[in-house]
């Protein structure tokens, strides 16, 4: 309710803007009487692009209607009678309006709350003594608003001058008509007697001379008025263009950059509402100035006066048309990007938006948006205004959508909810480039007119680069391409140029951003973690962070060339860690229980200085997506000596059978998590409660437990003192055979896929027929005579 209390204190234009948020779609009385309830609801938790969340919106709508009805029922007395009728009416009105589309209620209230918060914040900034700013509001926002105020004053000034010019010109035309009338009278004097003719002629000639002198002076004055007005409009347009550059070329570009980094796990790009409000103000003022210039043109046509004004007006008209065209084409944007790793035959959604659509009344004749997928070369040709002959590089189903105007939020957008890429046409690749390095983009196009067909716009916008895959095994390498592009592409680049090498600190920033987002953790990669990654990436043994700051890493080192002695790349290994963490070990990472980024030697050095039974968790060097337990214990080969043991790495497959916490709990020789924490303090809350010995139906449930089949007291000649050892891990009761897979991303050997991971339809159909024939064969019962 705190927000509503502050909103009621708004004054002037801010108050009018706040009041304009309400109407029949959402009455201000509902906001007033239910402020606390409205502000306490989880509106932001509902994703407007996910249809499956509509039930949440419906639940909020039903709750609001119930609140209205409950308050109406409790109204008493004469004053309460009127409020009771109003609230009952609002309950029925909101139900009929939003019951068919409850998501629109969420959209409406989110817009209201956001705008109120912005207006309150801006008002607070203005009233802060000394011009100080509230935290979180950039000073640039104030500068932009100040320029808008300056533009408003300038536009009003030229409007006043235009009215004066119009009045002066109208009076000039009246006097000019009077001079024509006097000339006509002089021409008719020949019919009068000579005496009267001389007297009348002298009087008329005197009046004519006086009037002509006035007309001459006034014509010069009008010309000066026109010149002054044109120069003022020139200055206004220059400031408008400068303001548009700040908003479109700076703020909107920054928003798009944040949107791109959000694809790598960066913070959300933020709402478009404030950008839309600025763009709408620009559109409004540009259109006002355009209309003023058109009116001056009309006045000059009505009363031509030789001079430089006509040429100046022609330039002004061209300038203002260029400014409005640049604004419209720049504000046709993608609000929600399509997936950047796009799998064929898979449904996806995207949203495009025209930020000035509502202000220009484009929704009066809603335009249609068409989506096509094009390759990198076609995108280059498009930006050079070269003809692409309407070619596309694939076929998208459900690729046409009409833009809808949402009155509650004032947004004009097209929501593509059920698009699917049916097929893709790949270009010839060169050198080592694979299908997962080939970039495409989704092109959105539309056409509409404004101002009664005065201006017709053909607008286009390109999505962020997408990599098209046909099989899940390609996802990892495609993600690498997308991550590199999002992190290191420059604004305004030629599609889709990215540097072939980047500095190690730049890459560290991108990896840390991706890791934190995927694992959903505030605990990112420490400096020690990044040193470990540098050692792996550059095959170095140096532990100095400074040594790596000046080093660069190429794309080939990142995800083309395998690591020394391995059959996987640096990125494949790192992505395997991410997959393991986000699926099974997120909580343990957040607790600090997993050190992870250590090699065998580091683990050995750390553990040998600790008591027996101390253990730590580190990521496997040899296996993608593997984590191993290393612990210190007595050397069974030599009394009095200790050694570090390493379990064979666990993978996602292992943790889907039994969790890490349960496995650590099973192993009694593991006592302390490095450096000295009792393991139960860290892992016990994540353990599975033990099964009871018997259940209602008389059966005993089996348990899976981790067992290490090593006798630490018996000699083992194969182990040498001081060297770390791997111990295979097995499960018992019942016995589960676990085969360790050395690589989540091995070279594709599926007979249904070709060398690049593409499906071969003929071979796939052959396989399907073989399976069908096999299933038709009668099978012998294998369990005959067995009883439970």
């Amino acid at each position: 309710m705190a927000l509503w209390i502050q909103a009621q204190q708004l004054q002037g234009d801010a108050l009018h803007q706040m009041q304009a948020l309400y109407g029949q779609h959402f009455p201000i009385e509902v906001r007033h009487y239910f402020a606390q309830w409205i502000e306490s609801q989880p509106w932001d938790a509902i994703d407007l692009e996910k249809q499956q969340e509509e039930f949440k919106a419906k639940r909020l709508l039903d709750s609001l209607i119930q609140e209205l009805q409950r308050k109406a029922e409790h109204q008493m007395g004469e004053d309460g009678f009127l409020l009771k009728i109003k609230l009952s009416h609002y309950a029925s009105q909101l139900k009929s309006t939003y019951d068919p589309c409850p998501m629109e209620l969420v959209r409406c209230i989110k817009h209201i709350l956001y705008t109120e918060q912005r207006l309150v914040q801006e008002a607070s900034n203005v009233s802060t003594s000394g011009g100080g700013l509230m935290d979180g509001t950039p000073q640039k926002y104030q500068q932009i608003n100040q320029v808008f105020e300056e533009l408003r004053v300038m536009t009003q000034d030229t409007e006043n001058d235009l009215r004066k010019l119009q009045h002066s010109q109208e009076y000039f035309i009246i006097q000019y008509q009077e001079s024509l009338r006097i000339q006509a009278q002089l021409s008719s004097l020949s019919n009068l007697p000579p005496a009267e003719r001389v007297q009348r002629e002298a009087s008329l000639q005197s009046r004519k001379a006086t009037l002509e002198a006035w007309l001459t002076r006034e014509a010069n004055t009008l010309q000066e008025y026109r010149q002054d007005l044109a120069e003022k409009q020139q200055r206004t347009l220059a400031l408008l263009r400068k303001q548009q550059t700040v908003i479109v070329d700076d703020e909107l570009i920054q928003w798009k950059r944040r949107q791109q980094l959000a694809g790598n796990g960066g913070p959300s790009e933020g709402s478009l509402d404030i950008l839309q409000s600025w763009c709408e103000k620009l559109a409004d003022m540009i259109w006002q100035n355009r209309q003023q210039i058109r009116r001056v043109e009309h006045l000059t046509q009505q009363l031509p006066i030789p001079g430089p004004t006509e040429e100046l007006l022609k330039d002004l008209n061209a300038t203002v048309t260029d400014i409005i065209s640049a604004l419209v084409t720049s504000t046709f944007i993608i609000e929600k990007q399509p997936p950047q790793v796009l799998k064929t035959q898979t449904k996806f959604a995207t949203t495009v938006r025209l930020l000035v659509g509502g202000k220009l009344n484009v929704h009066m004749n809603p335009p249609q948006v068409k989506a096509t997928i094009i390759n990198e070369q076609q995108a280059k040709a498009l930006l050079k205004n070269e003809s692409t002959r309407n070619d596309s590089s694939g076929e998208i189903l459900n690729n046409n959508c009409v833009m809808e105007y949402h009155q509650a939020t004032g947004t004009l957008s097209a929501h593509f909810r059920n698009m699917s890429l049916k097929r893709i046409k790949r270009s010839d690749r060169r050198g080592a480039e694979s299908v997962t390095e080939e970039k495409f983009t989704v092109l959105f196009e539309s056409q509409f007119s404004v101002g009664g067909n005065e201006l017709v716009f053909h607008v286009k916008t390109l999505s962020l680069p997408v990599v098209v895959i046909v099989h899940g095994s390609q996802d990892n390498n495609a993600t690498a391409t997308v991550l590199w592009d999002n992190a290191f592409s420059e604004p305004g680049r030629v599609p889709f140029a990215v540097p072939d090498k980047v500095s190690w600190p730049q890459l560290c920033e991108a990896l840390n951003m991706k890791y934190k987002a995927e694992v959903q953790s505030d605990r990112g990669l420490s400096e020690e973690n990044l040193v470990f990654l540098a050692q792996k990436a550059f095959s170095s043994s140096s532990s100095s962070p400074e040594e790596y700051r000046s080093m660069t890493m190429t794309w080939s080192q990142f995800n083309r060339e395998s690591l020394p002695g391995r059959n996987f790349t640096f990125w494949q290994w790192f992505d395997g860690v991410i997959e393991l963490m986000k699926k099974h070990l997120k909580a343990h990472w957040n607790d600090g229980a997993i050190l992870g980024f250590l090699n065998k030697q580091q683990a050995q050095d750390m553990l040998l200085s600790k008591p027996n039974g101390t253990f730590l968790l580190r990521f496997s060097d040899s296996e993608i997506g593997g984590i191993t337990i290393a612990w210190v214990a007595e050397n069974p080969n030599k009394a009095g000596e200790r050694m570090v043991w390493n379990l064979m790495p666990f993978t996602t497959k292992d943790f889907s059978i039994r969790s890490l916490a349960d496995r650590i709990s099973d192993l009694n020789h593991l006592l302390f998590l490095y450096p000295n924490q009792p393991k139960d303090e860290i892992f016990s809350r994540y353990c599975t409660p033990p099964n009871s010995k018997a259940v209602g139906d008389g059966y005993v449930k089996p348990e899976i437990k981790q067992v290490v089949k090593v006798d630490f007291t018996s000699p083992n000649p194969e182990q040498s003192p001081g060297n770390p050892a791997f111990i295979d891990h097995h499960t018992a009761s019942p016995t589960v055979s676990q085969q360790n897979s050395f690589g989540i991303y091995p070279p594709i050997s599926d007979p249904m896929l070709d060398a690049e991971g593409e499906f071969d339809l003929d071979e796939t159909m052959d396989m399907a027929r073989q399976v069908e024939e096999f299933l038709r064969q009668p099978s012998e019962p294998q369990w005959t005579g067995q009883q439970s």
Side-chain angles (χ1 to χ4, degrees):
M1 190 172 177
L3 177 59
W4 180 240
I5 292 172
Q6 295 177 74
Q8 293 176 75
Q9 310 304 316
L10 294 172
Q11 297 177 357
D13 184 55
L15 179 61
H16 292 311
Q17 288 186 55
M18 188 270 284
Q19 291 172 336
L21 295 170
Y22 300 97
Q24 289 187 346
H25 61 280
F26 197 80
I28 197 169
E29 292 88 346
V30 176
R31 176 70 174 102
H32 180 74
Y33 288 110
F34 299 92
Q36 185 172 358
W37 184 90
I38 289 171
E39 292 177 30
S40 65
Q41 301 308 306
W43 307 105
D44 286 334
I46 299 176
D47 188 341
L48 296 172
E49 303 304 325
K50 294 182 179 178
Q51 286 299 114
Q52 60 266 34
E53 296 203 357
E54 188 169 315
F55 77 95
K56 295 182 184 178
K58 182 67 165 62
R59 192 165 55 198
L60 286 171
L61 171 62
D62 292 342
S63 298
L64 176 57
I65 292 169
Q66 288 172 11
E67 291 290 324
L68 284 163
Q69 292 170 340
R70 188 180 299 115
K71 191 171 184 67
E73 291 169 1
H74 287 81
Q75 298 307 308
M76 306 291 289
E78 185 176 344
D79 293 337
F81 175 72
L82 291 175
L83 183 56
K84 180 176 184 176
I85 292 175
K86 272 191 172 183
L87 294 177
S88 298
H89 170 69
Y90 293 149
S92 301
Q93 179 181 314
L94 290 174
K95 184 173 178 61
S96 62
T97 302
Y98 294 112
D99 210 38
C101 51
M103 296 288 268
E104 285 304 307
L105 174 71
V106 178
R107 191 188 302 274
C108 169
I109 295 181
K110 285 174 78 169
H111 173 69
I112 285 172
L113 294 177
Y114 173 82
T115 307
E116 284 181 356
Q117 192 170 25
R118 176 175 60 81
L119 292 171
V120 166
Q121 196 172 41
E122 288 176 354
S124 300
N125 294 340
V126 171
S127 62
T128 303
S129 60
L133 289 170
M134 289 179 64
D135 290 340
T137 304
Q139 187 176 357
K140 183 176 281 188
Y141 286 15
Q142 271 199 339
Q143 294 172 351
I144 288 172
N145 289 331
Q146 287 170 359
V147 173
F148 272 127
E149 179 60 22
E150 188 178 348
L151 284 166
R152 186 192 66 79
V153 171
M154 293 172 72
T155 303
Q156 186 60 51
D157 186 37
T158 51
E159 178 65 28
N160 294 337
D161 287 355
L162 180 54
R163 288 174 183 169
K164 290 178 185 177
L165 174 62
Q166 185 173 352
H167 293 157
S168 298
Q169 182 166 314
E170 288 172 353
Y171 185 67
F172 179 91
I173 291 172
I174 291 171
Q175 295 304 312
Y176 180 73
Q177 292 295 332
E178 177 65 16
S179 72
L180 293 179
R181 190 178 65 81
I182 292 173
Q183 182 62 43
Q185 288 178 346
L186 285 170
S187 301
S188 64
L189 290 179
S190 58
N191 298 327
L192 296 177
E196 185 179 354
R197 183 173 69 240
V198 170
Q199 183 181 358
R200 292 285 304 279
E201 186 175 8
S203 174
L204 289 173
Q205 287 290 358
S206 175
R207 287 176 60 193
K208 179 184 176 185
T210 302
L211 193 54
E212 286 181 347
W214 182 90
L215 287 171
T216 301
R217 291 195 306 274
E218 190 63 15
N220 292 331
T221 302
L222 286 174
Q223 181 66 5
E224 289 175 4
Y225 281 172
R226 290 177 180 178
Q227 185 76 14
D228 290 344
L229 182 56
E231 289 174 356
K232 281 186 177 182
Q233 287 172 327
Q234 210 171 28
R235 290 193 291 272
T236 303
L237 293 185
L239 187 57
L240 270 171
R241 192 188 286 276
K242 183 179 178 182
Q243 178 82 326
Q244 183 164 303
T245 299
V246 170
I247 292 170
V248 174
D249 293 351
D250 294 347
E251 296 298 317
L252 186 55
I253 292 297
Q254 287 178 26
W255 181 89
K256 289 181 178 180
R257 178 59 180 155
R258 291 195 300 272
Q259 185 187 53
Q260 189 174 23
L261 288 176
N264 277 6
S268 170
E269 61 269 32
S271 172
L272 277 167
D273 288 352
I274 191 166
L275 275 169
Q276 175 163 318
S277 70
W278 289 341
C279 292
E280 287 181 337
K281 283 182 181 179
L282 276 173
D284 193 29
M285 289 185 174
I286 294 169
W287 199 257
Q288 286 182 47
N289 280 273
R290 185 175 187 274
Q291 293 304 100
Q292 288 179 5
I293 293 168
R294 298 291 296 275
R295 284 158 60 193
V296 175
E297 284 184 325
H298 178 70
L299 290 175
T300 58
Q301 292 168 3
Q302 195 177 43
L303 181 63
I305 301 175
T309 308
E310 289 185 6
E311 193 64 31
L312 189 54
L313 285 173
K314 185 178 178 182
D315 291 341
L316 286 173
N317 204 355
T319 300
V320 76
T321 301
D322 180 58
I323 293 174
I324 190 71
S325 297
L327 178 65
V328 172
T329 53
S330 298
T331 55
F332 181 64
I333 62 169
I334 302 172
E335 183 176 4
K336 180 185 177 183
Q337 291 282 342
Q340 287 189 264
V341 177
L342 192 56
K343 189 177 179 182
T344 56
Q345 312 294 337
T346 303
K347 189 175 78 169
F348 66 95
T350 186
T351 302
V352 294
R353 180 166 163 182
L354 181 62
L355 297 181
V356 295
K359 183 58 66 175
L360 297 179
N361 293 322
V362 176
H363 59 282
M364 301 302 288
N365 185 19
Q368 188 175 73
V369 182
K370 180 182 179 182
T372 53
I373 189 164
I374 60 176
N375 62 31
E376 189 170 331
Q377 293 303 319
Q378 290 167 330
K380 287 178 183 177
L382 186 71
L383 293 186
K384 291 179 183 177
N385 292 320
E386 297 175 2
S387 173
T388 57
R389 295 178 284 110
N390 295 321
D391 284 348
S392 69
S393 291
E395 181 181 353
I396 300 179
L397 303 179
N398 303 316
N399 66 328
N400 286 282
C401 184
V402 175
M403 299 195 88
E404 301 174 1
Y405 182 67
H406 305 276
Q407 187 173 5
T409 57
T411 59
L412 183 72
S413 53
H415 301 276
F416 294 84
R417 294 184 175 90
N418 296 294
M419 288 205 292
S420 175
L421 182 59
K422 184 178 179 181
R423 61 178 182 85
I424 193 69
K425 182 170 63 177
R426 300 194 182 274
S427 57
D428 293 333
R429 290 178 297 281
R430 299 176 300 277
E433 189 180 78
S434 67
V435 293
T436 55
E437 293 181 36
E438 186 177 6
K439 300 173 192 173
F440 297 86
T441 180
V442 181
L443 166 67
F444 296 92
E445 298 177 273
S446 185
Q447 183 170 311
F448 52 86
S449 62
V450 296
N453 292 325
E454 284 184 33
L455 297 174
V456 178
F457 296 102
H458 184 197
V459 292
K460 302 177 182 181
T461 188
L462 296 174
S463 75
L464 292 173
V466 299
V467 178
V468 177
I469 64 173
V470 298
H471 192 271
S473 62
Q474 298 170 309
D475 183 79
N476 166 268
N477 292 322
T479 301
T481 301
V482 167
L483 181 138
W484 191 277
D485 191 278
N486 286 344
F488 309 123
S489 61
E490 294 291 334
R493 62 171 171 174
V494 175
F496 291 106
V498 285
D500 183 60
K501 63 180 179 180
V502 297
S503 70
W504 175 249
Q506 282 180 294
L507 185 60
C508 287
E509 184 180 351
L511 294 176
N512 188 40
M513 181 184 293
K514 184 70 172 177
Y515 186 86
K516 288 170 68 176
E518 292 291 335
V519 181
Q520 297 176 356
S521 172
D522 291 331
R523 182 192 168 202
L525 301 175
S526 67
E527 188 169 90
E528 291 78 9
N529 299 155
L530 295 173
V531 166
F532 171 83
L533 291 174
Q535 291 171 339
K536 180 175 285 291
F538 299 114
S539 301
S540 170
S541 59
S542 173
S543 58
S544 170
E546 295 299 325
E547 187 166 329
Y548 300 109
R549 296 194 194 283
S550 60
M551 297 181 72
T552 59
M553 190 169 193
T554 66
W555 166 251
S556 291
Q557 289 173 301
F558 183 68
N559 198 46
R560 272 188 187 165
E561 301 168 2
S562 294
L563 292 170
R566 308 296 181 201
N567 63 348
F568 47 79
T569 65
F570 172 83
W571 165 254
Q572 287 172 343
W573 182 88
F574 184 76
D575 187 59
V577 168
I578 290 177
E579 287 296 307
L580 179 70
M581 297 301 293
K582 74 178 183 181
K583 288 180 179 177
H584 299 287
L585 307 180
K586 189 187 307 180
H588 302 307
W589 174 263
N590 289 331
D591 289 346
I594 297 176
L595 294 178
F597 298 96
L598 300 168
N599 59 38
K600 283 184 186 178
Q601 188 60 51
Q602 289 171 323
Q604 178 172 319
D605 294 343
M606 293 165 67
L607 289 171
L608 283 175
S609 64
K610 297 298 177 182
N612 287 346
T614 303
F615 67 98
L616 58 77
L617 297 155
R618 69 173 187 84
F619 300 127
S620 170
D621 281 322
S622 59
E623 185 164 351
I624 291 179
I627 190 168
T628 186
I629 302 174
W631 78 98
V632 61
E634 293 296 330
N635 184 351
N637 301 310
K638 192 170 182 181
E641 278 196 8
R642 303 189 308 152
M643 63 181 295
V644 172
W645 300 78
N646 292 271
L647 278 184
M648 290 290 288
F650 299 112
T651 63
T652 290
K653 180 180 177 182
D654 299 313
F655 292 132
S656 64
I657 298 171
R658 188 156 176 79
S659 71
L660 175 67
D662 287 338
R663 291 175 183 273
I664 289 174
S665 176
D666 293 341
L667 300 176
N668 295 327
H669 57 276
L670 302 182
L671 303 177
F672 305 102
L673 178 67
Y674 183 89
N676 55 10
Q677 294 173 288
K679 71 176 182 181
D680 289 343
E681 289 183 8
I682 307 299
F683 297 101
S684 60
R685 57 183 166 148
Y686 301 111
C687 290
T688 305
N691 291 326
S692 58
K693 292 186 177 179
V695 291
D697 56 5
Y699 287 101
V700 177
K701 289 187 176 179
E703 280 190 355
I704 297 176
K705 284 198 173 184
Q706 180 78 27
V707 176
V708 175
K709 293 185 177 179
V710 172
D711 184 356
F712 291 104
T713 61
S714 62
N716 184 355
E718 295 181 1
Q719 297 290 349
S720 58
N723 291 327
F726 267 123
I727 300 178
D728 201 356
H729 52 81
H730 301 275
T731 55
S733 302
T735 301
V736 178
S737 174
Q738 299 194 23
Q739 296 179 0
N740 293 291
S741 170
F742 289 87
I744 300 174
Y745 311 102
I748 297 170
S749 58
D750 191 327
M752 291 185 291
L753 303 178
D754 64 19
E756 293 178 334
E758 303 281 8
F759 275 106
D760 186 316
L761 184 59
D762 293 336
E763 291 190 12
T764 304
M765 294 302 295
D766 290 342
M767 179 69 72
R769 282 191 289 270
Q770 292 172 20
V771 171
E772 185 178 11
E773 291 173 4
F774 173 76
L775 292 175
R776 285 176 178 170
Q777 296 174 4
S779 59
E780 298 179 3
Q782 298 181 18
W783 308 104
T784 305
Q786 294 187 10
Q787 297 180 351
S788 300

